[in-house]
Amino acid sequence: MVDARGGAMRGCRHNGLRIIVPPRKCSAPTRVTCRLVKRHRLASMPPMVEGEGLAGRIIEVGPTGAQFLGPVIVEIPHFAALRGTERELVILRSETGENWREHHCDFTEEELNQILNGMDEKLDSPEELEKKRICRIITRDFPQYFAVVSRIKQDSHLIGPEGGVLSSTLVPQVQAVFPEGALTKKIRVGLQAQPIDIEVVRKILGNKATFSSIVTLEPRRRKFHKPITMTIPIPKSSNSDGTSGVYSGETPTLRLLCSITGGTTPAQWEDITGSTPLTFVNQCVSFTTNVSARFWLIDCRQVQESVSFGSQLYREIICVPYMAKFVIFAKTLDPIEARLRCFCMTDDKMDKTLEQQENFTEVARSRDVEVLEGKPIFADCFGNLVPLTKSGQHHAFSFFAFKENRLALFIKESDSDQDADDESERSDKKCKLNSCFVSHVIVLNLFFSNLGIYFHKSFRNGPNHLRHFAIHFSMVGVSVLRVPLDTYLVK
């Protein structure tokens, strides 16, 4: 209950959830509520395009429609991997759960501290919020729902009939120039530039092609009354100096791909190089277009494969990254056999009800690590303990944010003199023969003995005398972080 004195409340189930109502912002005593919402309770989910995903659970605040006399602060924990400045958080609001729109209400940190007017509540700086992964919402009224969405960094401006220039802060060379008369009324235009990691390209396609940033003009599928000019830096290649002569000839290797699909429809890439003249200026390519779309430059000697290569890479890099942790539960069955359950968690509770009822014990927990939505995670087992599996069977489970991602394993002792590091070296050679790139997420190292199950922190180049069981969690097609783990001992 909040009155003219103001007040604050914190979530008891999730750390970081907080609502602050400053003094003299409530016109009458008000019961303020806040709770997490399950997806099936919503009339419709927030509309999200490719590359976007919920950064946290949707929250319901009340009383719905409440009007305040000044700004109220709502802080929500999120689990998005923002990759520095490559991605950003967007706040959506819905009055009824059917229609969603972007929420805007900005205040400086100094203004917010003045509004709090001596309350005991302290506000973290933007840097601290980013470190703690907390999203701050400032609002003067309560809709029914708030949602925090992770998306590629977007620069936007209001552009009208007089024209204007829109540039990317992430990739400054990316630019959209609107001539006078291209628009008949003032609208908000957004520009995204998603950088492409050269290492990811090499690991997926080798040296078959190089790519520029993916440039998207929002809203998509909008036709302009006059052609606008787009500028994109050419792909970085060790074999070219970026001049137009490199890409000249009857069949230039530099191709311009375009996807005109909009909304939630997946991208469909087409090669429009033949119908779109390209102009080379200062390591960049300029061209004109009558419609807003998604554009991409690819330098590919196998010109006929440019769309195929682009689609293959796009499916990997468009996945939404999240910060999650791996947790291992174990239960001994007899002196030489045990049962493991592996989880990849976002905001899940560590004390799993099912595992507690079945007398499992947590034996390992990782720090937060980046994983990709919808991508499979492979668990490879090495060392003097082996999994009980059928021939040719692979241990894998796909990651989905805010859902229970569980993998069950049975292990038994095979050879007490075998070293997991030796097996890891052999697994590396095995991975090199595989047609797809596999990179490690984390490595769990477990001991198994008559006393129980032991977990020990070690690295690939760690002490050779350790005899243990290693679980390598890996993903296909993308480069992710490998993190060390804390040390546990279960008796």
Side-chain angles (χ1 to χ4, degrees):
M1 185 68 69
V2 180
D3 55 21
R5 294 170 295 179
M9 70 175 185
R10 288 176 168 81
C12 57
R13 294 178 55 192
H14 293 275
N15 186 33
L17 185 61
R18 180 171 67 158
I19 294 181
I20 303 175
V21 180
R24 296 184 296 278
K25 298 300 180 288
C26 271
S27 58
T30 305
R31 182 177 295 278
V32 176
T33 61
C34 177
R35 64 178 177 178
L36 304 179
V37 180
K38 294 183 178 180
R39 300 188 180 198
H40 68 267
R41 294 190 64 249
L42 294 172
S44 63
M45 290 292 291
M48 290 176 286
V49 301
E50 282 186 305
E52 296 182 352
L54 287 175
R57 294 188 186 269
I58 296 173
I59 66 166
E60 180 178 5
V61 292
T64 302
Q67 299 286 333
F68 298 96
L69 303 178
V72 171
I73 301 170
V74 181
E75 294 182 342
I76 306 174
H78 72 85
F79 301 86
L82 299 181
R83 296 176 174 175
T85 58
E86 181 178 325
R87 303 183 65 86
E88 66 180 359
L89 298 177
V90 180
I91 303 164
L92 302 181
R93 60 182 288 159
S94 175
E95 315 304 326
T96 61
E98 295 183 358
N99 300 311
W100 295 82
R101 61 186 175 89
E102 193 168 336
H103 174 80
H104 296 282
C105 189
D106 297 325
F107 283 85
T108 65
E109 186 178 352
E110 182 179 352
E111 290 172 336
L112 290 177
N113 285 321
Q114 291 177 352
I115 292 171
L116 292 181
N117 193 24
M119 290 182 68
D120 293 336
E121 299 295 322
K122 293 183 179 180
L123 295 181
D124 291 328
S125 65
E127 293 76 18
E128 291 172 327
L129 291 177
E130 182 178 354
K131 185 178 180 180
K132 295 178 179 179
R133 295 206 307 271
I134 293 177
C135 177
R136 179 179 291 159
I137 302 173
I138 311 298
T139 182
R140 291 177 177 271
D141 65 322
F142 274 173
Q144 186 173 4
Y145 302 108
F146 277 120
V148 181
V149 174
S150 167
R151 74 177 182 190
I152 300 164
K153 172 70 176 177
Q154 179 172 300
D155 298 278
S156 62
H157 291 297
L158 289 172
I159 298 181
E162 69 280 2
V165 178
L166 184 59
S167 300
S168 168
T169 54
L170 191 59
V171 184
Q173 299 96 323
V174 172
Q175 196 175 74
V177 179
F178 293 78
E180 185 178 355
L183 297 170
T184 57
K185 62 180 181 179
K186 183 169 289 189
I187 64 169
R188 182 169 293 277
V189 180
L191 182 66
Q192 291 181 347
Q194 181 181 4
I196 306 300
D197 189 344
I198 296 177
E199 290 302 317
V200 174
V201 177
R202 287 174 180 169
K203 289 169 182 175
I204 295 177
L205 297 173
N207 58 359
K208 295 178 182 178
T210 56
F211 296 81
S212 72
S213 301
I214 300 177
V215 177
T216 307
L217 200 60
E218 298 283 2
R220 270 177 278 175
R221 298 178 63 88
R222 186 180 184 93
K223 194 170 183 179
F224 303 112
H225 294 273
K226 288 184 180 180
I228 68 169
T229 301
M230 299 292 300
T231 302
I232 304 176
I234 64 172
K236 294 181 180 180
S237 173
S238 58
N239 299 324
S240 68
D241 59 3
T243 62
S244 58
V246 175
Y247 305 112
S248 61
E250 296 182 359
T251 310
T253 61
L254 185 67
R255 316 301 295 179
L256 176 61
L257 305 186
C258 173
S259 173
I260 202 172
T261 58
T264 57
T265 306
Q268 298 177 0
W269 295 100
E270 298 179 13
D271 188 344
I272 61 171
T273 311
S275 59
T276 308
L278 304 181
T279 304
F280 295 82
V281 180
N282 297 329
Q283 305 288 316
C284 294
V285 168
S286 294
F287 57 91
T288 59
T289 178
N290 287 310
V291 66
S292 56
R294 183 165 278 178
F295 302 98
W296 203 4
L297 289 173
I298 171 175
D299 184 8
C300 173
R301 295 190 179 277
Q302 298 172 260
V303 175
Q304 68 280 4
E305 299 292 333
S306 58
V307 174
S308 175
F309 289 161
S311 299
Q312 183 180 348
L313 179 63
Y314 182 79
R315 284 193 296 269
E316 302 296 337
I317 63 176
I318 203 62
C319 297
V320 181
Y322 287 90
M323 299 303 293
K325 56 170 58 72
F326 287 83
V327 181
I328 307 294
F329 293 88
K331 178 182 179 181
T332 56
L333 302 177
D334 57 52
I336 63 170
E337 188 174 326
R339 190 175 182 181
L340 301 181
R341 285 185 183 165
C342 312
F343 291 86
C344 186
M345 302 179 177
T346 41
D347 67 342
D348 306 35
K349 286 190 173 182
M350 298 303 171
D351 50 339
K352 291 292 182 182
T353 305
L354 178 60
E355 278 63 34
Q356 283 188 342
Q357 291 178 350
E358 297 182 355
N359 298 319
F360 277 78
T361 306
E362 180 184 325
V363 294
R365 184 190 302 181
S366 78
R367 299 188 182 98
D368 288 338
V369 62
E370 182 180 309
V371 291
L372 300 179
E373 174 84 2
K375 301 300 290 185
I377 300 173
F378 296 90
D380 297 319
C381 308
F382 309 101
N384 58 328
L385 296 174
V386 296
L388 301 176
T389 57
K390 297 179 181 179
S391 178
Q393 181 181 359
H394 296 285
H395 295 291
F397 61 107
S398 296
F399 168 78
F400 293 97
F402 315 114
K403 294 185 178 181
E404 193 166 77
N405 309 294
R406 175 193 272 119
L407 175 66
L409 292 172
F410 285 90
I411 60 171
K412 70 174 183 178
E413 186 176 6
S414 62
D415 182 2
S416 59
D417 295 327
Q418 186 178 18
D419 198 325
D421 290 339
D422 297 335
E423 279 290 335
S424 296
E425 292 177 5
R426 283 195 287 272
S427 72
D428 286 342
K429 296 178 182 178
K430 189 176 180 180
C431 287
K432 291 178 182 178
L433 299 176
N434 206 340
S435 59
C436 56
F437 158 64
V438 176
S439 69
H440 295 297
V441 180
I442 63 172
V443 180
L444 297 181
N445 301 286
L446 298 170
F447 287 99
F448 187 74
S449 72
N450 293 333
L451 295 178
I453 294 181
Y454 295 78
F455 169 76
H456 190 83
K457 169 180 167 184
S458 75
F459 299 88
R460 180 66 56 83
N461 299 321
N464 293 326
H465 68 276
L466 291 178
R467 297 292 186 266
H468 52 251
F469 171 53
I471 304 180
H472 292 203
F473 288 101
S474 56
M475 301 185 73
V476 176
V478 292
S479 178
V480 289
L481 179 65
R482 175 187 174 190
V483 297
L485 305 171
D486 299 328
T487 303
Y488 290 83
L489 172 62
V490 180
K491 294 183 179 180

